[in-house]
Structures are given as C-alpha cells and as structure tokens.
Amino acid sequence: MKKCVIGVVPLVDYEKQSWWMLPGYMEGILEAGGLPLMLPLTDDREVIRQMTDQCDGFLLTGGQDVSPELYGEKRLPQCGECSPERDRMEKMLLEEVLHKNIPVLGICRGIQFLNAALGGTLYQDLPSQRGTGMTHCQKPPYDVPVHEVEIKEGTPLYDLLGCRSLAVNSYHHQAVRQLAPGLEVMAVSEDGLTEGVYMPDRRFVWAVQWHPEFSYRAEENSRKIFAAFVRAAEELRK
C-alpha cells in the first residue's frame, strides 16, 4: 500500500532568501510510516486547495514568531522576526484542512499559530510578559528534556501515552495566552503554560509546544506522537 502523504510547511530564511527544512520533521514522519513532502510557500488559493486534495495530513512546523496582527494586538518591541508569508499561507491552508477534516499536527510555532488563527491570543514574549524562571528556551543539545508537562486525563494525548507527567525539551519565547474557542488543553507546563491542545470535533488536530522532531530518536513518546498523526492520515485514505 502506498504511504500516506504529509505536507510539511517550509521554514523560511530571509537572509539567505530560502525555504528549508529540519531533518527531524521529515525523519519523524518517515519512521512513522508516512511520506513527507515539503510544501511551496504560497497564498494562491487554488494551489492550496490542490495541496489538500493530494495530501493526507499537514505538519505545521516551528519558525518565526506569529504576527500579533493575526490576533488583533500591536507588536511589542520584544516580538521577534515574523513571517507574513507563512501567516497568510497557513491561515488559508488551515481553513481548507478544517473544512475537509484532514489531520494536522502543529509543533512549537504550530501550536501558537493554530491558537491565534482560531481566535486565541499569544504571549508575544514570555520573559517580559510572564517571566516565571522556568527554562522555555533551552540551549543545545535540543533533544534533552528541560522541564515537565502534566498530561490531562481524558485527552487523546493521555490515551496515547498513558502517563500523567512527561519530560520535554523546549525552545520558544512565545506561547498560548488565551485559549481559542474550539481547542481543548491536553498538556500544561509546571508554571501553568498551555503546552498541548487538540480539537475534539475534528479527526486529528493536535499541537504541542515542545519539539518531538529533535527528541524522537531517543524518546519513545515523541515517536508515538508522530505515529498517531500518521495513523490518522492513513485512516483518511481508507
């Protein structure tokens, strides 16, 4: 049987004028049995519709900060570089994906974008807006856990992992502030930040704040997240 196709949103490097990809996103999907394909960056509605016709799932990757304009706020000085092209594309892509009930996995920026696009808000900068002393932006190596999250019982993530506490890696300075309508919390950090969400009324729309693309080689629970995503995409093909 042919592998399910997972469209992976590209990373953007403005200095090098390039689109690029971290191997872990692709390798995590490959190991889980999917076929990852890096998408072009576009806001052409017809091209995006064709993407959703040909892909069985979509991975919303990390990257630049989500623009505060997306959730109706003025940009703070501490807000980092944004990618208007990604914001536009992912908003259009998400609309199509939710309409067609296609599986989605968001990682880091992915959880932030999902929350903002669905009507929630973000901390533009955790250290200045909500400093807690906890490490949320670690230094290399990025596959080493730096804090724990509580997995909420009764959520799909708890059903998948079967544990209440999970040690995770962390590399972000923005985060979910006000949760968007339609999202439910799956995981919370020790200092109270939302670290995992899902949409109960969709086939598979999950997002996590940590980085399974860095930890999947050494950590089984990261592999389980990729595997659950790919299984949901496989079900779409049946």
Side-chain angles (χ1 to χ4, degrees), residues 169-214:
N169 52 2
S170 187
Y171 188 73
H172 64 106
H173 85 111
Q174 294 199 322
V176 172
R177 188 170 190 169
Q178 180 181 349
L179 190 68
L183 290 179
E184 297 289 340
V185 176
M186 292 199 293
V188 179
S189 66
E190 296 165 284
D191 58 351
L193 283 179
T194 296
E195 294 257 348
V197 300
Y198 76 109
M199 293 188 73
D201 64 346
R202 289 296 188 275
R203 182 191 306 273
F204 186 104
V205 177
W206 291 19
V208 297
Q209 184 61 74
W210 63 92
H211 289 270
E213 81 278 13
F214 287 127

Side-chain angles (χ1 to χ4, degrees), residues 13-85:
D13 187 321
Y14 288 110
E15 184 177 345
K16 295 181 179 178
Q17 298 183 330
S18 65
W19 304 338
W20 65 287
M21 186 54 55
L22 283 167
Y25 293 123
M26 313 297 266
E27 292 170 354
I29 292 168
L30 279 169
E31 185 169 313
L35 175 61
L37 296 177
M38 192 178 89
L39 301 172
L41 197 61
T42 178
D43 59 3
D44 185 316
R45 178 73 70 174
E46 289 307 313
V47 171
I48 289 174
R49 283 176 178 155
Q50 187 169 350
M51 289 178 188
T52 60
D53 288 339
Q54 297 182 348
C55 293
D56 306 297
F58 290 90
L59 176 62
L60 304 181
T61 56
Q64 286 93 345
D65 288 355
V66 176
S67 173
E69 293 180 3
L70 192 62
Y71 47 98
E73 291 188 5
K74 292 184 178 179
R75 181 187 177 100
L76 298 178
Q78 296 88 350
C79 184
E81 179 183 68
C82 297
S83 177
E85 295 91 343

Side-chain angles (χ1 to χ4, degrees), residues 81-151:
E81 179 183 68
C82 297
S83 177
E85 295 91 343
R86 280 196 63 177
D87 288 344
R88 287 195 299 271
M89 172 179 167
E90 290 182 356
K91 193 170 189 303
M92 296 171 70
L93 179 63
L94 185 62
E95 290 169 359
E96 294 292 330
V97 161
L98 293 181
H99 176 70
K100 296 178 179 178
N101 204 9
I102 299 172
V104 176
L105 175 62
I107 293 176
C108 195
R109 172 192 153 93
I111 187 175
Q112 297 162 13
F113 175 81
L114 181 66
N115 188 66
L118 293 176
T121 63
L122 303 178
Y123 291 106
Q124 293 187 41
D125 179 67
L126 283 173
S128 60
Q129 291 185 286
R130 196 184 184 275
T132 64
M134 179 177 286
T135 298
H136 285 286
C137 192
Q138 72 186 88
K139 296 180 180 180
Y142 296 123
D143 60 344
V144 176
V146 293
H147 69 76
E148 293 190 351
V149 297
E150 177 193 351
I151 309 297

